[in-house]
Amino acid sequence: SAVISQKPSRDICQRGTSLTIQCQVDSQVTMMFWYRQQPGQSLTLIATANQGSEATYESGFVIDKFPISRPNLTFSTLTVSNMSPEDSSIYLCSVEDSGRWKNYEQYFGPGTRLTVT
Amino acid sequence: LAKTTQPISMDSYEGQEVNITCSHNNIATNDYITWYQQFPSQGPRFIIQGYKTKVTNEVASLFIPADRKSSTLSLPRVSLSDTAVYYCLVGPNDYKLSFGAGTTVTVRA
């Protein structure tokens, strides 16, 4: 199974600023994903980070607000831009494991807890 | 994606079996049923996946009736460390995981 780390683990930011979250995987993976989990809520997929092409965003999320980079097969970043208190959430990255004889599953990082004041 | 309904919360005691039922009346032919577990301050973790009948692994069992309109996750002999949120996901085996509200299971001593 993949081991995923995220930096920072938490941060407190002022409104109007931007924060870049890093996600590092210990093996090469094709697809990486970014999720948001608002306080007390479930997870919502933000976008799929594709290596060598632009990220694919889900409905309600746009590139200007959440730019994503995917420079190689083990690393991705998510930037939360021009933050407001409504952006206070846990941001998680995940990778898929869809080996031929395995169940489809995703491995999640520990998350980045963001508080915007 | 099929909509899922599961209890908001369940309480149990150490050593008991916990059964969480998830309803998914609109499940499609190519949909699988997958359960994830999330501990506080951690990302979700895959527990088990099934398509029909029964699946068992070292962590849990998943029971799926013939009509597949519901499924039951069974956690045998729970301990305090099984306190977590359990999510039932129904969909095709692709990257678009759709997490519902989940069931908060609290295990007491």
Side-chain angles (χ1 to χ4, degrees):
Chain A
S1 63
V3 177
I4 303 166
S5 60
Q6 288 185 230
K7 290 182 181 178
S9 58
R10 59 178 62 225
D11 206 341
I12 300 173
C13 301
Q14 291 190 343
R15 67 177 66 203
T17 63
S18 298
L19 175 72
T20 295
I21 302 167
Q22 299 179 7
C23 178
Q24 179 75 53
V25 189
D26 68 342
S27 59
Q28 293 186 343
V29 294
T30 303
M31 299 182 80
M32 297 178 73
F33 311 94
W34 287 98
Y35 289 81
R36 180 175 73 181
Q37 186 169 30
Q38 294 178 302
Q41 303 296 314
S42 187
L43 286 80
T44 301
L45 179 63
I46 297 173
T48 302
N50 307 306
Q51 198 268 332
S53 64
E54 281 197 358
T56 304
Y57 290 83
E58 298 300 305
S59 176
F61 298 97
V62 294
I63 187 171
D64 290 346
K65 176 67 175 177
F66 298 101
I68 288 171
S69 77
R70 180 81 195 274
N72 56 52
L73 292 176
T74 63
F75 187 79
S76 177
T77 67
L78 169 77
T79 299
V80 186
S81 304
N82 189 25
M83 289 184 284
S84 66
E86 291 71 36
D87 294 319
S88 296
S89 291
I90 299 173
Y91 292 86
L92 303 105
C93 72
S94 74
V95 303
E96 68 171 7
D97 182 352
S98 54
R100 182 178 178 184
W101 303 112
K102 292 183 179 180
N103 298 317
Y104 179 88
E105 56 183 280
Q106 289 187 14
Y107 298 99
F108 286 80
T112 295
R113 183 179 294 272
L114 170 62
T115 302
V116 183
T117 60
Chain B
L1 295 170
K3 177 179 168 56
T4 60
T5 302
Q6 52 184 122
I8 294 174
S9 64
M10 297 181 71
D11 288 346
S12 184
Y13 291 91
E14 285 189 293
Q16 289 188 335
E17 179 181 80
V18 172
N19 296 305
I20 310 171
T21 296
C22 179
S23 298
H24 29 81
N25 291 318
N26 296 323
I27 190 169
T29 303
N30 61 338
D31 285 346
Y32 286 75
I33 300 156
T34 310
W35 286 81
Y36 280 77
Q37 173 192 55
Q38 185 177 26
F39 297 115
S41 301
Q42 293 187 26
R45 180 178 75 115
F46 173 95
I47 300 177
I48 198 167
Q49 183 181 74
Y51 183 82
K52 60 181 180 181
T53 64
K54 176 184 174 182
V55 180
T56 297
N57 61 22
E58 64 277 6
V59 177
S61 294
L62 179 59
F63 299 91
I64 306 169
D67 66 5
R68 304 203 323 127
K69 293 183 183 299
S70 67
S71 58
T72 299
L73 176 73
S74 180
L75 306 171
R77 297 181 298 281
V78 294
S79 64
L80 296 176
S81 62
D82 292 314
T83 293
V85 179
Y86 292 82
Y87 296 98
C88 168
L89 287 73
V90 173
N93 260 355
D94 64 20
Y95 67 95
K96 280 189 177 286
L97 298 186
S98 178
F99 286 83
T103 297
T104 299
V105 173
T106 303
V107 180
R108 307 180 192 280

